[in-house]
Amino acid sequence: MAKNKTTETAINVIDFINSYVDKDQKKADSFQLIELMKKWSGFEPKMWGPTIIGFGSYHYKYASGHEGDSPLIGFSPRKAEFSLYVFSPTKDNEHLLDHFGKFRMGKACIYVKKLADINVSVLENLCKTSIAYLNEHHECACRES
């Protein structure tokens, strides 16, 4: 079975942002997202793989037998836009997206250009409902807090 590429690393989150993010606004948005997600999740930021900043963790196992660990919530300050890993498939979350702002949806994440384009209160709700969903459906570090 293939090894999961996105695992927690020992890379310093602040060093990563300072070396990887080249635009001042994206850097400021990244630091703001860290503070917000830390507050909402109750977990310190950790690097997952080379570019994902995650908060907390949960263990998943698919019917195929593939399993691994993933952050509860997180983001990546990619060059073109942020990838937000904050969405779980609930009816409430789909409704929240109606009031989220400018974004596009990927298979596993939400893409936004900058924080000013979105409603941060809706982002908070998405994060908290996703953590609750993961806590209910997976082995989750959020049970420890």
Side-chain angles (χ1 to χ4, degrees), residues 83-98:
S83 297
L84 302 175
Y85 303 97
V86 300
F87 187 78
S88 291
T90 67
K91 289 179 186 172
D92 290 339
N93 276 357
E94 289 178 17
H95 175 68
L96 286 171
L97 291 176
D98 295 339

Side-chain angles (χ1 to χ4, degrees), residues 101-113:
K102 290 171 52 176
F103 72 98
R104 67 183 180 90
M105 196 76 189
K107 192 172 186 176
C109 61
I110 298 170
Y111 298 100
V112 300
K113 297 251 185 229

